[in-house]
């Protein structure tokens, strides 16, 4: 069937377009599970050190060091230890994990097996978002094959090491992508994030020490073990090594997934790889890392796509979901959509988040209708500022940042709605 979307590949997605790569035989024919074999011959601490040296940062949004996270797992505990693979991919604008789940399920399982060996975990829970029915089936088939061939089970690859993998599907809540909301949901409870500390390494799935990593993070691991930390550091920037999958959507000629080194300039991704803006129109703003990351204006697209550079522009890499908006876009209307999403998805535990997301949406809607005032714009800034850093999880920050970014760079759009008492963008897309 092959891959239908435009794409650029590197090591992570090299064989993604080949149908037989999904099967265990096809994966092994391309060197699959070679790295797991190598890792299982190393001391667990050696594997952790290698991943630390590689500088791999988690690809689930926060960009935390993977090797460091693995080292937080207690070594001397006799309680069972677990891994959790976060395949919730609920961030609007993000669709990279889907490709990996559908086209490279064994690479993810190989990364999981290596992480299990390194951390001493006896079981992995793969939590797949509810809407990903097809990817979940593909992964389940890969798990079954791995059991049949003795890669998983009581003696993984013939070693005296047991590891089980269980797949679970979510039910479509954004907050179940947040790692402790995910853990609650995994345990059959409401997906409401936990207060931290304790962190998952102390108190994770079913109260046991656990490590949560994103699908893409696991997929980089076999390459690091196979080719070494220096090889991995040959891609990307000094602080952000490796490639990542940029998912480009919105007003571009070729929306799709592009595997490129971290640090690739945003304008190169949009104009060279994704073909630029259709119809000769100009770009207006770009959300660089999934909907919760603050927008950048057209003048700042020379930024290298790595956290150390994006932070200087008051944004972040997030999940690498690049959403491009051209000059016909009404940024107030875009803010309506964004705030509506967050209002709907707040789990409601924290007052600042539950009330704040509602007020942001209400005020932005008022401005969009032409019923708002100049003071409303200042209230938006004030409410967003009061939501930041105050809550149980980072959802409230993720809801506040996009609004702050929109007003920081496109205050003119908000003021024009007040001045004209209507939306001045008749050509903009409908809600
Ligand atoms: C509101 C919210 C939603 C999140 N959604 C996801 C998600 O869908 N997938 C994911 O991998 N991480 C998501 N995360 C990040 C996870 O909490 C966690 O940091 C990540 O899974 C760790 O994996 P990594 O270290 O490999 O990046 C989300 C975080 C927040 C605050
Ligand atoms: S910040 Fe929002 S989503 Fe996170 S725990 Fe509080 S209410 Fe729930």
């Amino acid at each position: 069937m092959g891959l239908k979307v435009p794409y650029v590949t590197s090591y992570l997605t090299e064989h993604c377009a080949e149908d037989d790569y999904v099967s265990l035989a096809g994966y092994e024919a391309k060197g699959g599970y070679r790295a797991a074999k190598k890792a299982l011959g190393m001391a667990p601490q050696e594997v952790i050190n290698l991943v630390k040296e590689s500088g791999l940062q988690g690809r689930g949004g926060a960009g935390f060091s993977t090797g460091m996270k693995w080292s937080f797992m207690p070594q001397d505990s006799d309680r069972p230890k677990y891994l959790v693979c976060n395949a919730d991919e609920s961030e609007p604008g993000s669709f990279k994990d889907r490709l990996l789940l559908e086209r490279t399920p064994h690479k993810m399982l190989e990364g999981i097996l290596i992480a299990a060996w390194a951390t001493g975990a006896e079981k992995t829970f793969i939590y797949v978002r509810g809407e990903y029915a097809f990817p979940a089936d593909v992964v389940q088939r890969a798990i079954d094959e791995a059991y049949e061939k003795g890669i998983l089970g009581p003696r993984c690859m013939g070693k005296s090491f047991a590891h089980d993998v269980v797949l679970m599907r979510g039910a479509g809540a954004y907050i179940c992508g947040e790692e402790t909301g995910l853990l609650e949901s995994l345990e059959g409870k409401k997906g409401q994030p936990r207060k931290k500390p304790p962190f998952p390494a102390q108190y994770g799935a079913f109260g046991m020490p656990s490590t949560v990593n994103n699908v893409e993070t696991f997929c980089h691991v076999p390459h690091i073990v196979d080719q070494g930390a220096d090889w991995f550091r040959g891609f990307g920037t000094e602080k952000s090594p490796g490639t990542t999958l940029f998912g480009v959507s919105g007003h571009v000629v070729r929306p799709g997934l592009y595997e490129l080194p971290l640090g690739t300039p945003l304008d190169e991704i949009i104009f060279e790889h994704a073909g630029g803006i259709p119809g000769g129109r100009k770009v207006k703003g770009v959300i660089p890392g999934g909907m919760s990351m603050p927008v950048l204006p057209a003048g700042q697209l020379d930024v290298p796509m790595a956290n150390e550079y994006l932070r200087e522009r008051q944004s972040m890499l997030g999940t690498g979901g690049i959403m491009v908006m051209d000059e016909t876009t009404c940024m107030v209307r875009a803010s309506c959509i964004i705030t509506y999403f967050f209002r709907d998805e707040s789990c409601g535990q924290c007052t600042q988040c539950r009330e704040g997301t509602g007020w942001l949406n209400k005020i932005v809607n008022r401005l969009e209708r032409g019923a708002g005032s100049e003071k409303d714009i200042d209230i938006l800034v004030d409410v967003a500022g009061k939501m930041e850093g105050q809550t149980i999880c980072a959802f409230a920050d993720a809801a506040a940042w996009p609004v702050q970014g929109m007003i920081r760079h496109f205050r003119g759009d908000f003021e024009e709605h007040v001045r004209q008492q209507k939306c001045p963008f008749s050509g903009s897309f409908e809600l």
Side-chain angles (χ1 to χ4, degrees):
M1 153 174 92
L3 202 62
K4 296 285 194 312
V5 291
Y7 61 96
V8 167
T9 64
S10 186
Y11 59 87
L12 207 58
T13 51
E14 192 185 354
H15 301 292
C16 268
E18 300 161 25
D19 286 342
D20 68 342
Y21 197 62
V22 179
S23 71
L24 178 56
Y27 182 64
E28 283 184 319
K30 294 282 172 358
Y33 288 104
R34 188 170 62 204
K37 205 169 172 193
K38 184 175 169 187
L40 265 60
M42 293 163 71
Q45 191 57 48
E46 255 187 286
V47 180
I48 294 182
N49 290 345
L50 176 65
V51 175
K52 263 192 200 164
E53 280 159 30
S54 77
L56 174 64
Q57 298 170 341
R59 302 295 201 249
F64 191 78
S65 156
T66 305
M68 192 81 86
K69 191 183 269 190
W70 291 5
S71 69
F72 294 155
M73 285 282 263
Q75 295 295 329
D76 44 5
S77 163
D78 53 4
R79 292 189 299 158
K81 289 184 263 182
Y82 299 137
L83 292 180
V84 179
C85 175
N86 191 340
D88 194 59
E89 186 151 72
S90 42
E91 181 75 14
S94 179
F95 46 97
K96 67 186 178 75
D97 294 340
R98 177 177 183 171
L99 177 97
L100 298 169
L101 294 165
E102 286 181 9
R103 310 296 303 180
T104 65
H106 281 288
K107 190 175 290 189
M108 180 184 73
L109 290 179
E110 187 176 6
I112 286 172
L113 186 56
I114 295 168
W117 172 251
T119 57
E122 63 173 53
K123 189 176 282 189
T124 296
F125 301 97
I126 303 177
Y127 187 96
V128 185
R129 71 173 288 168
E131 293 89 337
Y132 279 4
F134 176 66
D137 285 349
V138 174
V139 173
Q140 187 58 59
R141 272 199 298 277
I143 294 171
D144 294 344
E145 275 185 305
Y147 270 105
E148 273 163 33
K149 292 282 161 63
I151 291 170
L152 295 172
R155 284 183 59 79
C156 296
M157 304 185 94
K159 299 269 173 189
S160 57
F161 173 65
H163 193 71
D164 284 314
V165 174
V166 178
L167 183 143
M168 189 198 153
R169 282 179 58 194
Y174 174 66
I175 198 57
C176 292
E178 195 278 340
E179 57 186 12
T180 60
L182 185 159
L183 293 174
E184 289 288 295
S185 168
L186 188 68
E187 294 177 9
K189 304 176 196 149
K190 269 198 275 184
Q192 293 189 315
R194 298 175 182 168
K195 283 194 188 121
K196 289 154 279 225
F199 291 96
Q202 277 78 47
Y203 188 89
F206 306 96
M208 300 301 160
S210 306
T211 292
V212 184
N213 276 130
N214 169 256
V215 170
E216 186 192 331
T217 311
F218 282 121
C219 288
H220 285 278
V221 170
H223 295 282
I224 293 168
V225 171
D226 194 35
Q227 313 224 47
D230 288 344
W231 168 85
F232 187 72
R233 284 189 168 277
F235 299 89
T237 69
E238 201 189 329
K239 288 191 177 144
S240 304
T243 64
T244 199
L245 280 166
F246 293 107
V248 189
S249 62
H251 296 139
V252 285
V253 174
R254 289 190 295 274
L257 280 166
Y258 300 90
E259 184 185 352
L260 294 163
L262 284 166
T264 303
L266 183 52
D267 50 6
E268 181 189 317
I269 300 173
I270 296 170
F271 294 101
E272 288 182 30
H273 299 290
I277 316 301
R281 291 190 298 272
K282 291 198 181 94
V283 62
K284 180 168 180 176
V286 178
I287 296 173
M291 207 169 76
S292 49
M293 296 301 139
V295 67
L296 295 171
Q300 294 195 20
L301 305 187
D302 56 338
V303 63
M305 288 291 283
N307 269 329
E308 65 270 30
Y309 298 101
L310 283 157
R311 273 199 205 101
E312 286 173 8
R313 315 265 175 119
Q314 293 177 279
S315 193
M316 269 171 69
L317 182 70
T319 52
I322 297 170
M323 300 158 96
V324 182
M325 293 170 279
D326 73 17
E327 59 192 333
T328 64
T329 311
C330 167
M331 290 304 191
V332 181
R333 198 172 294 189
S335 303
C336 285
I337 295 166
I338 294 170
T339 54
Y340 174 80
F341 174 80
F342 286 109
R343 188 204 70 186
D344 243 38
E345 296 290 339
S346 167
C347 88
Q349 285 188 101
C350 317
T351 311
Q352 294 91 333
C353 178
R354 187 185 59 244
E355 301 301 320
T357 51
W359 279 107
L360 290 181
N361 184 242
K362 207 174 201 168
I363 298 168
V364 170
N365 275 333
R366 187 154 73 212
L367 284 158
E368 172 62 10
R369 280 201 313 274
S373 66
E374 189 79 29
K375 202 172 163 210
D376 281 334
I377 307 172
D378 296 328
I379 294 174
L380 281 178
V381 175
D382 187 48
V383 171
K386 291 197 166 90
M387 291 165 66
E388 263 187 294
Q390 304 286 325
T391 50
I392 292 174
C393 86
F395 177 103
D397 304 66
W401 291 341
V403 173
Q404 291 170 330
M406 285 293 187
I407 297 176
R408 182 157 60 238
H409 298 299
F410 301 102
R411 195 175 173 112
D413 275 17
F414 288 80
E415 289 172 346
E416 206 47 34
H417 282 70
V418 175
R419 209 179 59 76
Q420 292 193 28
Q421 296 194 323
K422 68 179 178 69
C423 176
F425 289 84
S426 55
S428 184
F429 57 89
E430 291 297 320
L431 278 178

